[in-house]
Amino acid sequence: MTTPIASRRRLSRWIMIPIKILFGFIAVSLLMVAIYRFVPPPVTLTMLFDPNGITKDWTSLDAIDPDMARAAIAGEDGKFCSHHGFDVDAIAKAAIHNASGGRIRGGSTISQQTAKNVFLWQGGGFVRKGLEAWFTVLIEAMWGKQRIMEVYLNVAETGIGTYGVQAGAVRYFHHGASKLSKAEAGRIAAVLPLPKKRAAVAPGGFTRRYGNTITARIGVVQRNGLDSCLR
């Protein structure tokens, strides 16, 4: 016969299981973010599940032409240096646009994309979005903008089986990311949203026009100090 005291103890043990899992997850995630503050992420889930293989070459932010970071800001996240991980206006506009139909538009910041690329998997869903928000808060607090941009430019997919702007620059233009011209940086930035469907070499249609637009915005980013957190 089970006594009330025994029942309460059993219930307490069951309650403690999810609490322990939660605190374990928090501890592990904090440790991972702390390590990657100084150590390059060796591989991501996106890379591991890429049937086309992995071509990458980690390059420090100092060794990447500054126009590449400016192009990423121009194309992906104009408020990168001023927000704390989330651009509420962009998220709201994307939600309204997507609800009206047509081409799907994302509202994720560079910080959110970095959190997703490094720690999570591709795709949607509330669970992944919730975890993305958690890791975004952590990297904003523990890494800072320069490290976030550095990691982003090294793990973002820049082509089929190609990761990072160094590998992308070599693939498309046959030289390293330190020698990128404004036009080349704009083309790579134009590829980032759909790297498996767009090419930076002889781009046509939307990709060509978008790349030209980003190239024109690079100077605006610099003149208006939208890259001030990277200087």
Side-chain angles (χ1 to χ4, degrees):
M1 180 177 179
T2 304
T3 65
I5 294 177
S7 297
R8 285 196 296 270
R9 287 176 177 172
R10 185 178 296 111
L11 179 60
S12 296
R13 285 197 295 269
W14 280 107
I15 292 175
M16 287 303 296
I17 290 175
I19 293 176
K20 289 180 179 179
I21 292 174
L22 175 61
F23 277 96
F25 167 75
I26 292 174
V28 170
S29 59
L30 286 170
L31 179 61
M32 291 176 64
V33 173
I35 291 173
Y36 290 160
R37 169 66 178 84
F38 305 100
V39 178
V43 71
T44 67
L45 288 176
T46 303
M47 296 176 188
L48 288 175
F49 289 105
D50 192 333
N52 301 294
I54 305 171
T55 300
K56 63 185 183 72
D57 186 2
W58 181 274
T59 305
S60 69
L61 187 61
D62 291 340
I64 298 173
D65 190 283
D67 282 333
M68 186 63 247
R70 293 176 187 132
I73 290 173
E76 298 289 296
D77 186 1
K79 297 180 181 179
F80 175 70
C81 284
S82 59
H83 65 60
H84 298 289
F86 307 93
D87 185 344
V88 178
D89 291 337
I91 293 173
K93 290 178 181 178
I96 294 173
H97 173 84
N98 296 339
S100 65
R103 185 191 298 271
I104 297 297
R105 179 185 300 170
S108 295
T109 63
I110 285 175
S111 300
Q112 288 175 273
Q113 293 179 52
T114 303
K116 176 189 68 176
N117 288 338
V118 174
F119 301 104
L120 303 170
W121 59 92
Q122 302 297 318
F126 290 109
V127 173
R128 205 228 65 195
K129 279 294 184 182
L131 292 173
E132 177 185 296
W134 164 249
F135 280 108
T136 298
V137 170
L138 291 186
I139 65 174
E140 279 280 340
M142 300 174 67
W143 288 5
K145 295 294 187 179
Q146 290 190 8
R147 179 60 173 177
I148 290 173
M149 179 61 76
E150 181 174 64
V151 174
Y152 175 72
L153 294 180
N154 276 282
V155 301
E157 193 173 4
T158 52
I160 297 176
T162 307
Y163 295 86
V165 299
Q166 172 67 15
V170 172
R171 170 178 177 168
Y172 296 123
F173 309 117
H174 309 295
H175 60 69
S178 64
K179 299 180 180 179
L180 286 170
S181 67
K182 283 183 170 61
E184 291 168 347
R187 289 184 181 183
I188 290 179
V191 168
L192 291 175
L194 289 171
K196 286 185 170 61
K197 297 181 179 180
R198 299 177 182 176
V201 174
F206 176 81
T207 304
R208 176 176 52 79
R209 294 192 299 273
Y210 187 38
N212 292 340
T213 298
I214 292 175
T215 299
R217 289 177 182 170
I218 289 175
V220 176
V221 170
Q222 184 175 13
R223 287 193 300 273
N224 292 348
L226 300 182
D227 63 336
S228 59
C229 60
L230 303 177
R231 299 177 187 177

